[in-house]
Amino acid sequence: MVLPTVILPGYLAGAEEYLGLQTHLEQRGVPTLTVPLRKWDWVPTIGGRSMIPILRPLHETVQRALQEFGCDRINLICHSAGGWVARIYLGEKPYQIHQDKLGETGLWDRRAQVATLVTLGTPHTSRERWTLRNLNFVNDHYPGAFYPEIRYVCVAGKAVFGARRPGQWLAYSSYEITCGQGACWGDGITPIVSAHLEGAENVTLEGVRHAPRPGFVWYGSPDIVKLWIPYLA
């Protein structure tokens, strides 16, 4: 039996955007909960501030899944920035780099409760100045597929080549600010090189876009989910 799974939405995304993915996983026999975020729950984190407002509901949802499904571990599926937020949650170092959140405890060092971490289009590296403080904490303390007891699966999309021309400008700009090079392949937002982690099981999927949009294939599209669902514990 596949372990229960928790979905962590991406930056500025609410849980409703992942209901289709949750339903598809459940139809394939994977008990699934989505962290009940609303878009405005991300607002306190804007500008490189603390991710505690996201870690708290993530932890509550993981504990609910453990209790509801009667297990001691779950799988974590994380989209976009949710992937590196989850790496904070797994790690043992106190996440106390923001002075206004020094009293928070218990929202990290949770790797014993996670079997597999699947990241979908996660920018595990970035040069954007507002993200550096948080991402440097993650990558300095937990570089690559850091914990051998956890299965890291990093899924990247190869759909848009960044270029300075109509239809590719956004990708070029996003890739450049993420990995330092705009002229490369990615999912339209995250370049492949940033979506992969050293030591992880790195997967690249052709034609996959970053987020759910009408008319586009994304990581949660049924035909794409079947390509990465076998990695779940």
Side-chain angles (χ1 to χ4, degrees):
M1 178 181 174
V2 178
L3 289 175
T5 292
V6 170
I7 299 172
L8 179 60
Y11 191 62
L12 295 178
E16 71 279 359
E17 297 181 43
Y18 300 84
L19 293 180
L21 173 57
Q22 177 175 329
T23 298
H24 188 62
L25 289 170
E26 291 171 339
Q27 289 173 343
R28 286 179 168 266
V30 182
T32 306
L33 296 178
T34 300
V35 180
L37 294 175
R38 299 159 298 180
K39 291 182 179 181
W40 51 84
D41 290 329
W42 291 92
V43 171
T45 74
I46 290 175
R49 286 177 284 182
S50 175
M51 287 293 161
I52 291 294
I54 307 303
L55 289 167
R56 191 181 297 114
L58 168 61
H59 178 62
E60 292 170 355
T61 306
V62 169
Q63 299 314 303
R64 177 186 161 198
L66 293 173
Q67 182 176 12
E68 186 171 318
F69 299 114
C71 57
D72 59 0
R73 293 190 304 164
I74 53 94
N75 296 313
L76 261 181
I77 297 174
C78 306
H79 179 230
S80 195
W84 59 259
V85 173
R87 291 166 64 200
I88 298 174
Y89 184 67
L90 300 177
E92 79 270 22
K93 300 294 183 181
Y95 176 62
Q96 297 181 335
I97 61 174
H98 299 274
Q99 295 302 311
D100 59 330
K101 301 293 183 182
L102 293 181
E104 296 284 353
T105 60
L107 301 179
W108 47 83
D109 199 13
R110 295 292 171 172
R111 63 193 181 279
Q113 297 176 334
V114 177
T116 301
L117 172 65
V118 178
T119 65
L120 307 173
T122 291
H124 289 291
T125 60
S126 177
R127 299 188 176 196
E128 205 278 317
R129 67 189 185 97
W130 297 114
T131 64
L132 283 179
R133 190 174 189 184
N134 284 311
L135 264 178
N136 285 347
F137 173 85
V138 174
N139 290 319
D140 288 347
H141 290 298
Y142 319 115
F146 189 74
Y147 292 109
E149 65 269 34
I150 294 175
R151 187 179 192 181
Y152 291 78
V153 181
C154 298
V155 185
K158 184 181 180 182
V160 184
F161 189 84
R164 293 173 173 171
R165 60 172 64 100
Q168 295 169 277
W169 267 106
L170 174 60
Y172 183 94
S173 300
S174 183
Y175 299 165
E176 186 175 43
I177 204 171
T178 302
C179 71
Q181 179 183 351
C184 60
W185 282 99
D187 61 15
I189 297 295
T190 303
I192 294 171
V193 66
S194 295
H196 288 168
L197 276 176
E198 183 176 354
E201 295 177 72
N202 292 313
V203 181
T204 301
L205 301 178
E206 295 283 344
V208 174
R209 296 264 186 159
H210 186 75
R213 295 292 183 269
F216 289 117
V217 173
W218 83 292
Y219 298 100
S221 297
D223 287 344
I224 302 305
V225 173
K226 70 181 182 182
L227 300 177
W228 55 257
I229 197 174
Y231 292 97
L232 297 179

